[in-house]
Amino acid sequence: MLIDHPLLGPRDEAEFVILGDAGLIDRPDWQAEDAAQLFHDYLHLRDNPAGEHRELWFHEQGDRSWLVVTRNTLTHEIVRVELARDVAIARGRDR
Amino acid sequence: MSGPFRLDGGAVDRSRTLAFRFDGRSLTGHPGDTLASALLANGVRLVGRSFKYHRPRGVFTAGSEEPNALVELRSDAHREPNTRATVTELFDGLEAWSQNYRGSLRRDLLAVNDLIAPFLSAGFYYKTFMWPKSFWEKVYEPAIRASAGLGRLSGEADPDSYDKGFLHCDLLIVGAGPAGLAAALAAGRGGARVILADEDFVMGGRLTAETHEVNGRSGADWAAEAVRELASMDRVRLLPRTTVTGAWDHGIYGALERRTDHLAGSNGKPRQILWRIYSRRAILAAGATERPIAFGGNDRPGVMLAGAVRAYANRFAVGAGKRVGLFTNNDDGWRTAADLARKGVSVAAVIDVRDREPAAEVPGARIVTGGRVTATRGRHGLKGVTLANGERLALDCLAVSGGWNPNVHLTCHHGGRPVWREEIAAFAPGDGRPGGMAVAGAAGGAFTTAAALAEGHRAAVEALGGLGLSAAAGEPPGASDEAVEAAPFWHVRESRGRAWLDLQNDVTVKDVEQAHREGFRSVEHLKRYTTLGMATDQGKTANVGALAIMAEQTGRSIAETGTTMFRPPYTPVPIGAFAGRSRGREFQPSRLTPSHDWAARRGAVFVEAGLWLRAQWFPQAGETHWRQSVDREVRQTRGSVGICDVTTLGKIDIQGRDAQEFLNRIYSNGFATLAVGKVRYGLMLREDGMAYDDGTTARLGETHFVMTTTTVNAVLVFRNMEFARQCLWPGLDVHLISATEQWAQFAVAGPNSRALLRKVVDPEHDISNEAFPFMACGEVGVCGGAPGRLFRISFSGELAYEVAVPARYGEALMEALMAAGEEFGAVAYGTEALGVMRVEKGHAAANELNGQTTARMLGMQRMVSKRKDCIGNVLSERPEMNRGDGLELMGFRPVDRSEPLAAGAHFLAPGAEAVTENDEGWMTSVAWSPELGHSIGLGFIRNGHARIGETVRAWDGVRGRDVAVEIVPAHFLDPDGERLRG
Amino acid sequence: MAEFALTARTPLDGYDRTFGGVTLAEAAGLSLVSAAVPQGGDDAFAAALAEGFGASRPSTGEWVPGDRLGARILGMQPDQLFILFEAPDPDRAAEAVSAALGPAAYVTDQSDSWAMLRIAGRGVRAALERLCMLDLDDAAFPEGRVARTVMEHLAVIILRDGADGFLLMSPRSSARSFLHAVEQSVATVSG
């Protein structure tokens, strides 16, 4: 596979490490009332779509960017690649 | 003239003669020959025995689809079994042996299998060798393996080398026949980066084997001229002898280039290269493969594909027989007859299954339209055939054409299925092709030369257009449209004797029919039950015919019957090519510590720790057992001072305004109050609350920290911290960079460590206990101004330091430390002594931090802060992980102090049966303590702290041991830590 | 005078060898310091880089020359750059960059983290295509480009500094494995 890195262009999958569902960005609030349940769901409940899936890839042998790659799990077509940092900020993560 | 069957003309170089041996017999051929063509030229027709029935077999094709002519090539360690003679280029001194027989090729003792063939039909093994069950491994399987199987492996290590590589192009063209060459010319002339790959050693595809004209000259000449032009283009790369074996995602293709297989030796260079080709667009111009017609005895040597017979005559100047017959269902078959006649080969008969006018004039030939061949005769080679009308013809070669199958394989590597096209009676590429791939020429079902040239040209223009590039202006090369009409015809019903479909795996029409009767309706089941298409040729000449038979049986159409899945590789790839250079010591890189050469000079024994090689112990003269060395290293360290290279620990440089806050969230214990110049031990949890790494972090400045991780987790911790930094808390100002390689770091441990370091650390630094207490750190000058870092930390439990210098000074510092320590009797110690001392001290390491243990189990529950957000703290609260009677890390000592302990033993109550329900925990680490004089262990046991003094059993079913042990605190030495604070 | 003195050893012990048209030589005398850009500090960093090294900030994947100390500024990560230069005192390389950039960057010495190997000559790309999955074509990877990638299981920073020349950097501890891999590729395609 080739991942079209937003800063570097297409790079071979061999340079990357996959983590999994991009939902891992949305880490719950540790002080929430039901924090244990929220963390349980955050960590263990995943969709496994036959189709487009947003997933986290780390450009370990590259620029060390975490990326959110939207990949079709049926065809391996990659429809979008974003810097995970930008995604995280857009989803309200900060400090 | 080399051989009685050699004709005039062709593309062999008669000015040179090549000597070769087949089954020990000396023969000759010419440059341009394959082993198969040279054998045929010499009249060698019997070249091997079939897989199952040991039937005599001869050359069947002239290409990579060959099912029969498999030989053992070369000798000794270079011997390679199952090599297809049809694609083996002849070289001077070539040696080959036929395979798969016992006794001699002509009198194969295992040919008895053929006599009992009625019992060996489809599913025979499954049905026959079921009982008694115990016979399978002992009797049946060895016997079957001895009689089946193909060539013999040399049994020696492969002496050749292999390589891999990476290529990039705008346009990859697979196949250099008329379509591929036309595409390459259009793209190359337009300036695109082109790779043109072809499995043959001469580019041109069928043009090399035909008499067609292109642009008014012979097709072979036109192809040669096109190749010359392409070779002169900087941005065109020609890869002859290269098979594109698979299509992967996003325009990536795998290709095997055979660099030296056509030479007598490799001269130290890689024999083959496995390329990964990155293409923006690809054109599949892989041509088509001819298919046979099944009839009685159609496996006899001398029965060949018609296109192959034509190729041997036109390209290799070899007559496949002296009296040749044709059996065809299509116009193309007639061309073989015409070409042979033109070459002066006697064509005795043309039998066309179609009831129609002859498609060509063949002087002197008996023409039978609407004819059928029902049987053949001849023991080791064809002597004649019988027709359905009872007519018997004397022939030594029967050229058979059942039509052509487009080579659709690469179009199906992403799960696509080919579609049946009635008008060409063949499967052609369907949907689901790899992205960016176009198909041109016969691979797409366009069977005429003119169509191939035009399609190749157009495909290149379109592909480049899609990339915003332009192909050269101009028209495609022209050629006449040959007649290619075909009538579907698969097998002769009136056959006498077995009609063969899969020649390599010995599958007959009857086997397919039987499989159907037994209920195998899916083609995938048919394949596995009969083994059709499962040999090394993957049924390239067999599958479609079998599908047609199956369709007949079921009453479904061929289109409805469908094909089995096509998977890479297109043709076999040697395991050596997949391995490339990764063998022996080069299987993986080695990481060496800064003191590696020093340690090697000292005779250290090394151990692999991940990629690292670490000194395990340093044997001295007179020490014959590793324990002697390790005990000495431990005693001397605890008694005076020892030095250990600890560079392999991961080091991460952490800087930023929010670095401290960041660390506070990464570690489970508090880091908010760490002062500059101090070090703190830290525990890391996974988000699920389990412990996963530990280490120390030193604060070198207000915004500057340096963390150590365990050796094995260095990469993972870095990755997780980058995740936290970029994805969880992108607003924190924190920056990470690995410094593992930057600093050579040495533990200096033992009561004399301070005295030793006073001689090495520059005198302006006060390292007294008051000025530089336990858990202090700072930047220091070393050996007269070299930049260094000093940490007062201890893994051994002794007064100890770690001192670091830039890696370039590492070896020199090791020497300086040893020299400075000479007066104290300083020793170098390795990872074994390190392990002994940490077990004595009760420190958890990888055996305890194995990803399945919690802070509570490790006795570190106080190191999980409840007052801050950090990775893992929420889920570490789960009730099951906080049970009062949970596993706890404890020490263990044998009741009988002379008993050794073993890691992996499980704890049982005295008298309890060794079953899972009685399991109370397990031993994680053991060591022999020189200081205590007996074995000690660490382990997890239920409710351990409440059971100190209790005796349990350490039961080790694997090693057959059962030792009574006493539960003790994990700290065997200096429980209050007086030594390390001294 | 201290009782013990430390002599430096380079990762490749000064390796220098020519195979046919390709020269392989350890790049000696270079210091390498990483400079991380504080959050919100991009303008200050650009100004400091111009002031301290006479260089503009390269984007990730590019390098630019500075006008002093032979400096080359390498864009390694979105917020991290490497400064490759001839430090007046290699033992104080990080301090030198710190002095030049002031508080506009967090600096870390990386000089000893990497073995540096220069590969140059006509056959250089033929040798590298056995190792490097990146497209090193003139159009795809011209002078002025730098990339971190992987070759033979090893991390490698590759920087193009000439028509037929590249600087390769790979972790120091595995330098011998790396040199062997490069040597083998060069030997294979030469002669």
Side-chain angles (χ1 to χ4, degrees):
Chain A
M1 288 209 309
L2 291 175
I3 294 174
D4 195 2
H5 191 296
L7 304 175
L8 304 172
R11 299 288 284 260
D12 194 295
E13 171 199 1
E15 294 180 345
F16 295 83
V17 174
I18 189 170
L19 178 63
D21 195 299
L24 286 171
I25 289 173
D26 301 319
R27 187 172 180 270
D29 178 1
W30 70 291
Q31 289 176 309
E33 193 100 321
D34 52 348
Q37 185 61 44
L38 291 174
F39 269 87
H40 166 272
D41 295 355
Y42 163 73
L43 204 58
H44 300 299
L45 299 188
R46 298 271 195 286
D47 289 334
N48 184 19
E52 285 192 8
H53 185 222
R54 282 162 64 81
E55 50 199 28
L56 285 159
W57 290 75
F58 182 46
H59 199 195
E60 188 151 83
Q61 300 288 8
D63 79 337
R64 304 285 167 89
S65 285
W66 277 94
L67 304 177
V68 174
V69 176
T70 306
R71 181 177 67 100
N72 187 316
T73 56
L74 294 174
T75 63
H76 286 188
E77 185 193 5
I78 292 175
V79 297
R80 195 162 55 252
V81 185
E82 303 152 274
L83 291 174
R85 182 192 179 84
D86 294 345
V87 173
I89 290 168
R91 296 183 67 80
R93 299 209 68 88
D94 186 8
R95 294 173 63 84
Chain B
M1 293 285 275
S2 53
F5 287 79
R6 191 66 80 175
L7 309 174
D8 291 333
V12 291
D13 175 6
R14 286 181 179 68
S15 69
R16 286 177 53 211
T17 297
L18 305 175
F20 71 102
R21 293 166 77 84
F22 179 69
D23 282 346
R25 183 177 157 204
S26 295
L27 300 165
T28 62
H30 298 295
D33 265 327
T34 61
L35 174 57
S37 71
L39 286 171
L40 289 170
N42 284 282
V44 177
R45 300 210 290 165
L46 172 63
V47 298
R49 290 278 176 168
S50 71
F51 179 66
K52 188 169 165 188
Y53 299 123
H54 292 259
R55 301 263 299 177
R57 292 285 164 78
V59 173
F60 190 64
T61 75
S64 63
E65 70 273 29
E66 176 64 29
N68 278 351
L70 307 183
V71 299
E72 292 172 358
L73 192 67
R74 302 178 196 258
S75 50
D76 303 324
H78 288 277
R79 184 168 73 207
E80 188 171 33
N82 310 332
T83 304
R84 290 155 294 170
T86 51
V87 293
T88 300
E89 267 178 271
L90 198 67
F91 55 84
D92 204 40
L94 178 148
E95 288 186 280
W97 285 264
S98 56
Q99 56 187 39
N100 208 32
Y101 57 85
R102 195 174 297 165
S104 77
L105 178 59
R106 292 185 73 82
R107 297 179 185 279
D108 177 5
L109 301 175
L110 292 172
V112 65
N113 281 8
D114 198 34
L115 301 177
I116 57 167
F119 306 102
L120 295 178
S121 58
F124 168 69
Y125 295 161
Y126 308 125
K127 294 167 188 162
T128 311
F129 296 120
M130 300 288 286
W131 302 278
K133 203 174 168 191
S134 62
F135 267 43
W136 177 252
E137 265 186 30
K138 293 194 179 75
V139 181
Y140 296 144
E141 189 178 347
I144 292 166
R145 287 204 184 282
S147 74
L150 296 166
R152 300 161 304 154
L153 293 165
S154 73
E156 295 174 53
D158 187 343
D160 287 315
S161 65
Y162 301 82
D163 210 353
K164 294 186 190 181
F166 309 88
L167 299 173
H168 300 259
C169 61
D170 295 322
L171 183 62
L172 168 67
I173 302 167
V174 182
L181 287 174
L185 285 172
R189 285 171 183 162
R193 268 172 103 187
V194 176
I195 292 174
L196 176 62
D198 194 283
E199 61 180 359
D200 202 340
F201 56 95
V202 177
M203 289 191 159
R206 281 303 298 185
L207 292 176
T208 65
E210 304 288 359
T211 50
H212 306 316
E213 294 199 336
V214 177
N215 277 357
R217 52 204 294 208
S218 97
D221 287 351
W222 177 83
E225 177 59 33
V227 170
R228 272 194 296 279
E229 181 181 343
L230 291 166
S232 72
M233 296 177 179
D234 283 345
R235 290 171 69 75
V236 174
R237 181 161 184 151
L238 299 178
L239 291 176
R241 304 184 176 96
T242 301
T243 307
V244 177
T245 58
W248 279 268
D249 291 303
H250 307 150
I252 299 175
Y253 290 82
L256 180 74
E257 183 182 9
R258 293 169 289 275
R259 298 281 277 215
T260 66
D261 283 4
H262 60 295
L263 305 173
S266 295
N267 199 20
K269 305 280 183 178
R271 177 188 160 205
Q272 298 176 337
I273 301 172
L274 195 59
W275 294 107
R276 184 184 302 179
I277 300 176
Y278 301 85
S279 70
R280 300 171 73 196
R281 291 285 189 278
I283 296 173
L284 181 71
T289 300
E290 198 170 16
R291 63 198 184 208
I293 295 171
F295 53 89
N298 62 329
D299 67 330
R300 195 103 42 207
V303 177
M304 297 172 67
L305 288 173
V309 171
R310 192 155 85 230
Y312 285 118
N314 287 332
R315 173 175 167 182
F316 299 100
V318 173
K322 299 280 191 197
R323 240 180 101 73
V324 180
L326 252 297
F327 183 34
T328 183
N329 68 349
N330 65 80
D331 295 348
D332 187 72
W334 286 82
R335 197 170 303 115
T336 299
D339 284 4
L340 288 176
R342 205 174 303 133
K343 281 281 201 178
V345 177
S346 164
V347 179
V350 179
I351 302 126
D352 193 326
V353 302
R354 301 173 296 178
D355 208 355
R356 52 179 285 176
E357 289 298 299
E361 269 195 44
V362 188
R366 163 104 175 82
I367 306 293
V368 183
T369 56
R372 309 275 191 273
V373 177
T374 57
T376 65
R377 58 184 181 275
R379 181 154 174 232
H380 289 138
L382 186 71
K383 293 201 170 123
V385 303
T386 306
L387 306 187
N389 62 11
E391 200 171 337
R392 288 164 67 94
L393 299 168
L395 302 172
D396 60 356
C397 172
L398 181 67
V400 181
S401 180
W404 293 76
N405 293 323
N407 290 327
V408 300
H409 303 65
L410 264 64
T411 68
C412 301
H413 281 182
H414 287 191
R417 299 281 179 153
V419 292
W420 180 257
R421 272 174 47 193
E422 206 65 53
E423 79 277 16
I424 57 169
F427 282 102
D431 293 335
R433 287 207 293 271
M437 180 194 283
V439 184
F447 287 143
T448 72
T449 307
L453 292 163
E455 282 198 9
H457 180 89
R458 190 174 68 233
V461 171
E462 286 174 5
L464 298 191
L467 296 175
L469 303 171
S470 51
E475 288 299 304
S480 60
D481 270 342
E482 321 72 86
V484 292
E485 265 188 57
F489 187 88
W490 309 103
H491 90 277
V492 176
R493 265 175 234 285
E494 308 90 323
S495 286
R496 281 186 287 115
R498 280 165 288 168
W500 303 84
L501 290 166
D502 185 329
L503 293 170
Q504 201 181 347
N505 263 357
D506 276 349
V507 181
T508 65
V509 171
K510 212 181 91 190
D511 290 327
V512 173
E513 292 169 349
Q514 182 194 331
H516 171 256
R517 281 199 305 278
E518 294 185 9
F520 293 90
R521 299 296 148 88
S522 147
V523 287
E524 298 286 2
H525 291 161
L526 171 78
K527 167 177 168 173
R528 282 149 187 90
Y529 191 56
T530 62
T531 73
L532 175 99
M534 290 173 70
T536 58
D537 67 341
Q538 293 283 289
K540 288 188 177 60
T541 57
N543 289 347
V544 174
L547 294 174
I549 311 274
M550 184 151 181
E552 278 177 20
Q553 295 286 313
T554 57
R556 288 177 299 180
S557 67
I558 296 176
E560 286 165 330
T561 304
T563 63
T564 55
M565 199 78 177
F566 292 85
R567 295 187 180 88
Y570 176 65
T571 52
V573 178
I575 298 292
F578 285 120
R581 303 179 187 175
S582 302
R583 45 194 277 187
R585 225 21 265 181
E586 290 172 64
F587 179 69
Q588 59 186 23
S590 296
R591 299 178 75 183
L592 308 180
T593 66
S595 66
H596 180 87
D597 289 349
W598 180 89
R601 288 196 296 274
R602 287 278 183 124
V605 173
F606 293 98
V607 60
E608 291 186 8
L611 297 181
W612 288 102
L613 293 181
R614 298 188 70 180
Q616 199 171 8
W617 63 83
F618 295 83
Q620 285 195 348
E623 292 174 347
T624 56
H625 190 278
W626 65 271
R627 266 277 308 284
Q628 295 173 305
S629 310
V630 173
D631 289 355
R632 171 183 51 76
E633 290 169 16
V634 171
R635 280 203 187 93
Q636 197 61 14
T637 300
R638 294 219 185 275
S640 179
V641 60
I643 298 153
C644 182
D645 191 329
V646 294
T647 302
T648 62
L649 292 179
K651 307 179 202 75
I652 302 172
D653 203 59
I654 304 166
Q655 298 195 57
R657 296 187 298 271
D658 299 315
Q660 174 162 300
E661 174 59 22
F662 181 75
L663 285 166
N664 204 35
R665 296 183 193 180
I666 294 296
Y667 280 126
S668 67
N669 51 320
F671 264 77
T673 57
L674 183 66
V676 173
K678 289 291 181 189
V679 188
R680 183 168 293 173
Y681 175 80
L683 178 70
M684 286 186 201
L685 306 181
R686 297 192 307 239
E687 196 68 276
D688 65 2
M690 309 301 278
Y692 94 96
D693 203 65
D694 68 346
T696 59
T697 288
R699 188 169 195 173
L700 298 177
E702 274 306 313
T703 59
H704 191 185
F705 297 77
V706 60
M707 169 188 283
T708 64
T709 71
T710 60
T711 300
V712 289
N713 276 337
V715 169
L716 182 63
V717 169
F718 190 94
R719 184 188 304 158
N720 289 345
M721 293 203 334
E722 277 291 355
F723 177 75
R725 185 180 87 92
Q726 296 178 37
C727 301
L728 300 183
W729 304 300
L732 294 181
D733 181 46
V734 59
H735 302 267
L736 311 175
I737 190 161
S738 171
T740 305
E741 304 269 339
Q742 177 67 23
W743 296 90
Q745 195 150 320
F746 300 93
V748 182
N752 283 320
S753 56
R754 184 182 295 124
L756 188 158
L757 282 169
R758 278 203 171 116
K759 298 170 71 177
V760 173
V761 174
D762 292 342
E764 62 268 32
H765 305 287
D766 182 357
I767 60 170
S768 68
N769 199 31
E770 297 69 39
F772 202 81
F774 183 55
M775 295 308 243
C777 70
E779 299 189 339
V780 294
V782 174
C783 295
R789 289 173 177 175
L790 191 65
F791 308 88
R792 175 104 184 255
I793 51 181
S794 176
F795 196 50
S796 59
E798 298 299 327
L799 167 67
Y801 299 80
E802 288 187 12
V803 58
V805 290
R808 63 184 179 277
Y809 295 128
E811 186 173 0
L813 180 60
M814 186 73 197
E815 286 172 346
L817 290 168
M818 290 302 290
E822 207 174 323
E823 62 175 288
F824 310 110
V827 291
Y829 67 92
T831 55
E832 266 324 303
L834 184 86
V836 170
M837 289 190 278
R838 74 99 189 163
V839 174
E840 286 180 331
K841 190 63 189 164
H843 284 311
N847 295 15
E848 289 77 34
L849 281 160
N850 69 350
Q852 298 173 307
T853 54
T854 64
R856 187 188 171 88
M857 287 170 70
L858 295 162
M860 299 192 211
Q861 55 268 42
R862 284 193 304 278
M863 293 191 67
V864 182
S865 170
K866 315 283 187 221
R867 294 190 306 276
K868 63 166 186 174
D869 186 12
C870 68
I871 302 288
N873 69 345
V874 170
L875 291 182
S876 73
E877 300 284 312
R878 285 182 284 167
E880 183 60 25
M881 289 160 61
N882 294 282
R883 285 164 46 151
D885 64 345
L887 293 163
E888 292 172 352
L889 182 64
M890 301 302 296
F892 297 86
R893 63 182 177 203
V895 173
D896 173 354
R897 299 283 194 269
S898 67
E899 291 265 25
L901 300 178
H906 280 252
F907 298 124
L908 298 170
E913 194 189 347
V915 294
T916 307
E917 299 78 67
N918 293 334
D919 190 12
E920 299 198 32
W922 68 95
M923 193 90 80
T924 54
S925 303
V926 299
W928 195 83
S929 168
E931 187 152 332
L932 299 173
H934 60 79
S935 275
I936 56 174
L938 298 176
F940 293 105
I941 191 163
R942 294 213 174 279
N943 209 16
H945 286 284
R947 298 168 66 183
I948 287 175
E950 190 180 321
T951 295
V952 294
R953 290 155 55 208
W955 177 84
D956 182 354
V958 175
R959 301 178 189 86
R961 292 181 48 78
D962 197 341
V963 180
V965 294
E966 181 189 347
I967 304 173
V968 296
H971 306 284
F972 289 92
L973 293 182
D974 188 26
D976 299 326
E978 285 164 15
R979 294 184 190 178
L980 49 80
R981 289 190 173 77
Chain C
M1 191 62 197
E3 189 180 345
F4 307 99
L6 302 183
T7 44
R9 185 171 173 188
T10 64
L12 299 173
D13 294 323
Y15 180 91
D16 189 343
R17 195 170 157 194
T18 299
F19 301 75
V22 177
T23 302
L24 276 182
E26 180 169 27
L30 293 174
S31 290
L32 185 68
V33 173
S34 70
V37 184
Q39 279 209 1
D42 292 296
D43 293 345
F45 181 82
L49 199 58
E51 175 72 23
F53 287 98
S56 57
R57 179 178 175 176
S59 53
T60 306
E62 292 181 345
W63 68 270
V64 298
D67 70 358
R68 65 209 69 163
L69 299 177
R72 285 176 273 184
I73 320 297
L74 286 52
M76 301 307 301
Q77 296 175 205
D79 57 359
Q80 190 184 87
L81 301 94
F82 279 3
I83 296 164
L84 184 65
F85 69 116
E86 293 156 16
D89 175 1
D91 282 350
R92 304 283 178 269
E95 289 84 338
V97 174
S98 219
L101 300 181
Y106 305 112
V107 303
T108 306
D109 195 349
Q110 292 274 294
S111 309
D112 289 46
S113 300
W114 302 90
M116 301 186 194
L117 186 67
R118 183 140 200 290
I119 177 170
R122 269 185 309 103
V124 63
R125 273 187 286 163
L128 287 174
E129 75 187 14
R130 301 291 179 90
L131 291 171
C132 178
M133 62 180 88
L134 301 181
D135 186 358
L136 301 179
D137 187 60
D138 289 339
F141 200 82
E143 264 186 79
R145 291 297 295 271
V146 62
R148 192 198 302 249
T149 183
V150 62
M151 301 183 194
E152 287 289 313
H153 315 289
L154 293 166
V156 178
I157 294 171
I158 178 168
L159 175 155
R160 186 163 192 170
D161 62 359
D164 287 318
F166 297 84
L167 181 66
L168 307 176
M169 301 196 267
S170 192
R172 179 186 184 108
S173 64
S174 45
R176 288 182 207 172
S177 293
F178 178 65
L179 176 63
H180 177 73
V182 179
E183 246 186 343
Q184 206 178 357
S185 297
V186 174
T188 290
V189 301
S190 68

